[in-house]
mmCIF file of all heavy atoms in Angstrom:
data_model
loop_
_atom_site.group_PDB
_atom_site.id
_atom_site.type_symbol
_atom_site.label_atom_id
_atom_site.label_comp_id
_atom_site.label_asym_id
_atom_site.label_seq_id
_atom_site.Cartn_x
_atom_site.Cartn_y
_atom_site.Cartn_z
ATOM 1 N N GLU A 134 -16.505 30.797 63.681
ATOM 2 C CA GLU A 134 -17.414 31.331 62.667
ATOM 3 C C GLU A 134 -18.307 32.360 63.359
ATOM 4 O O GLU A 134 -19.157 31.987 64.175
ATOM 5 C CB GLU A 134 -18.261 30.222 62.049
ATOM 6 C CG GLU A 134 -19.170 30.716 60.949
ATOM 7 C CD GLU A 134 -19.973 29.591 60.320
ATOM 8 O OE1 GLU A 134 -19.770 28.429 60.719
ATOM 9 O OE2 GLU A 134 -20.794 29.872 59.446
ATOM 10 N N PRO A 135 -18.102 33.658 63.087
ATOM 11 C CA PRO A 135 -18.927 34.683 63.737
ATOM 12 C C PRO A 135 -20.411 34.428 63.499
ATOM 13 O O PRO A 135 -20.838 34.115 62.378
ATOM 14 C CB PRO A 135 -18.467 35.981 63.063
ATOM 15 C CG PRO A 135 -17.077 35.685 62.580
ATOM 16 C CD PRO A 135 -17.101 34.246 62.201
ATOM 17 N N GLY A 136 -21.206 34.504 64.550
ATOM 18 C CA GLY A 136 -22.646 34.283 64.456
ATOM 19 C C GLY A 136 -23.051 32.831 64.512
ATOM 20 O O GLY A 136 -24.234 32.512 64.380
ATOM 21 N N ALA A 137 -22.062 31.927 64.685
ATOM 22 C CA ALA A 137 -22.413 30.502 64.704
ATOM 23 C C ALA A 137 -23.188 30.129 65.955
ATOM 24 O O ALA A 137 -23.963 29.167 65.945
ATOM 25 C CB ALA A 137 -21.150 29.648 64.608
ATOM 26 N N GLU A 138 -22.977 30.893 67.088
ATOM 27 C CA GLU A 138 -23.663 30.534 68.318
ATOM 28 C C GLU A 138 -25.172 30.688 68.174
ATOM 29 O O GLU A 138 -25.951 29.828 68.604
ATOM 30 C CB GLU A 138 -23.162 31.407 69.477
ATOM 31 C CG GLU A 138 -21.722 31.130 69.886
ATOM 32 C CD GLU A 138 -20.735 31.780 68.926
ATOM 33 O OE1 GLU A 138 -21.189 32.523 68.021
ATOM 34 O OE2 GLU A 138 -19.520 31.546 69.084
ATOM 35 N N ALA A 139 -25.607 31.766 67.518
ATOM 36 C CA ALA A 139 -27.047 31.974 67.342
ATOM 37 C C ALA A 139 -27.643 30.919 66.422
ATOM 38 O O ALA A 139 -28.727 30.386 66.672
ATOM 39 C CB ALA A 139 -27.303 33.377 66.773
ATOM 40 N N ALA A 140 -26.898 30.571 65.355
ATOM 41 C CA ALA A 140 -27.407 29.549 64.440
ATOM 42 C C ALA A 140 -27.484 28.190 65.125
ATOM 43 O O ALA A 140 -28.410 27.418 64.909
ATOM 44 C CB ALA A 140 -26.525 29.477 63.194
ATOM 45 N N ALA A 141 -26.493 27.915 65.982
ATOM 46 C CA ALA A 141 -26.491 26.630 66.685
ATOM 47 C C ALA A 141 -27.636 26.551 67.682
ATOM 48 O O ALA A 141 -28.198 25.481 67.921
ATOM 49 C CB ALA A 141 -25.156 26.418 67.399
ATOM 50 N N ALA A 142 -27.991 27.702 68.286
ATOM 51 C CA ALA A 142 -29.099 27.703 69.234
ATOM 52 C C ALA A 142 -30.428 27.432 68.539
ATOM 53 O O ALA A 142 -31.321 26.799 69.086
ATOM 54 C CB ALA A 142 -29.149 29.048 69.963
ATOM 55 N N GLU A 143 -30.553 27.945 67.287
ATOM 56 C CA GLU A 143 -31.788 27.718 66.539
ATOM 57 C C GLU A 143 -31.890 26.271 66.053
ATOM 58 O O GLU A 143 -32.953 25.678 66.051
ATOM 59 C CB GLU A 143 -31.862 28.674 65.348
ATOM 60 C CG GLU A 143 -31.918 30.143 65.768
ATOM 61 C CD GLU A 143 -31.857 31.073 64.561
ATOM 62 O OE1 GLU A 143 -31.797 30.528 63.427
ATOM 63 O OE2 GLU A 143 -31.879 32.293 64.733
ATOM 64 N N ASP A 144 -30.790 25.691 65.612
ATOM 65 C CA ASP A 144 -30.812 24.330 65.051
ATOM 66 C C ASP A 144 -29.561 23.586 65.507
ATOM 67 O O ASP A 144 -28.621 23.408 64.747
ATOM 68 C CB ASP A 144 -30.876 24.416 63.530
ATOM 69 C CG ASP A 144 -31.280 23.092 62.906
ATOM 70 O OD1 ASP A 144 -31.528 22.145 63.670
ATOM 71 O OD2 ASP A 144 -31.343 23.015 61.663
ATOM 72 N N PRO A 145 -29.482 23.144 66.772
ATOM 73 C CA PRO A 145 -28.256 22.569 67.318
ATOM 74 C C PRO A 145 -27.751 21.326 66.594
ATOM 75 O O PRO A 145 -26.544 21.141 66.485
ATOM 76 C CB PRO A 145 -28.645 22.236 68.770
ATOM 77 C CG PRO A 145 -29.841 23.082 69.047
ATOM 78 C CD PRO A 145 -30.558 23.210 67.755
ATOM 79 N N PRO A 146 -28.565 20.418 66.071
ATOM 80 C CA PRO A 146 -28.005 19.194 65.502
ATOM 81 C C PRO A 146 -27.151 19.416 64.246
ATOM 82 O O PRO A 146 -26.385 18.549 63.855
ATOM 83 C CB PRO A 146 -29.256 18.359 65.167
ATOM 84 C CG PRO A 146 -30.342 18.908 66.025
ATOM 85 C CD PRO A 146 -30.043 20.368 66.120
ATOM 86 N N ILE A 147 -27.321 20.517 63.586
ATOM 87 C CA ILE A 147 -26.608 20.732 62.326
ATOM 88 C C ILE A 147 -25.165 21.162 62.610
ATOM 89 O O ILE A 147 -24.937 22.119 63.343
ATOM 90 C CB ILE A 147 -27.321 21.787 61.465
ATOM 91 C CG1 ILE A 147 -28.720 21.304 61.086
ATOM 92 C CG2 ILE A 147 -26.512 22.085 60.216
ATOM 93 C CD1 ILE A 147 -29.494 22.292 60.249
ATOM 94 N N GLU A 148 -24.217 20.461 62.076
ATOM 95 C CA GLU A 148 -22.797 20.809 62.203
ATOM 96 C C GLU A 148 -22.433 21.695 61.014
ATOM 97 O O GLU A 148 -22.174 21.222 59.903
ATOM 98 C CB GLU A 148 -21.949 19.531 62.207
ATOM 99 C CG GLU A 148 -20.462 19.777 62.443
ATOM 100 C CD GLU A 148 -20.215 20.419 63.788
ATOM 101 O OE1 GLU A 148 -20.343 19.747 64.820
ATOM 102 O OE2 GLU A 148 -19.891 21.618 63.780
ATOM 103 N N ARG A 149 -22.462 23.001 61.251
ATOM 104 C CA ARG A 149 -22.315 23.954 60.152
ATOM 105 C C ARG A 149 -20.953 23.818 59.463
ATOM 106 O O ARG A 149 -20.858 23.892 58.229
ATOM 107 C CB ARG A 149 -22.511 25.383 60.677
ATOM 108 C CG ARG A 149 -23.902 25.661 61.191
ATOM 109 C CD ARG A 149 -23.985 27.061 61.792
ATOM 110 N NE ARG A 149 -23.549 28.091 60.873
ATOM 111 C CZ ARG A 149 -24.337 28.642 59.937
ATOM 112 N NH1 ARG A 149 -25.594 28.222 59.813
ATOM 113 N NH2 ARG A 149 -23.879 29.581 59.136
ATOM 114 N N GLN A 150 -19.898 23.631 60.215
ATOM 115 C CA GLN A 150 -18.574 23.543 59.606
ATOM 116 C C GLN A 150 -18.439 22.285 58.749
ATOM 117 O O GLN A 150 -17.824 22.304 57.682
ATOM 118 C CB GLN A 150 -17.500 23.560 60.691
ATOM 119 C CG GLN A 150 -17.391 24.881 61.429
ATOM 120 C CD GLN A 150 -17.071 26.032 60.485
ATOM 121 O OE1 GLN A 150 -16.418 25.842 59.477
ATOM 122 N NE2 GLN A 150 -17.548 27.224 60.832
ATOM 123 N N ALA A 151 -19.013 21.182 59.219
ATOM 124 C CA ALA A 151 -18.947 19.953 58.431
ATOM 125 C C ALA A 151 -19.711 20.108 57.127
ATOM 126 O O ALA A 151 -19.254 19.681 56.059
ATOM 127 C CB ALA A 151 -19.494 18.780 59.238
ATOM 128 N N VAL A 152 -20.893 20.742 57.199
ATOM 129 C CA VAL A 152 -21.673 20.966 55.987
ATOM 130 C C VAL A 152 -20.926 21.891 55.044
ATOM 131 O O VAL A 152 -20.875 21.666 53.825
ATOM 132 C CB VAL A 152 -23.056 21.541 56.346
ATOM 133 C CG1 VAL A 152 -23.813 21.950 55.081
ATOM 134 C CG2 VAL A 152 -23.860 20.529 57.140
#
Side-chain angles (χ1 to χ4, degrees):
E134 183 178 357
E138 292 78 6
E143 297 175 1
D144 196 1
I147 297 179
E148 184 61 73
R149 295 176 55 84
Q150 292 301 330
V152 173

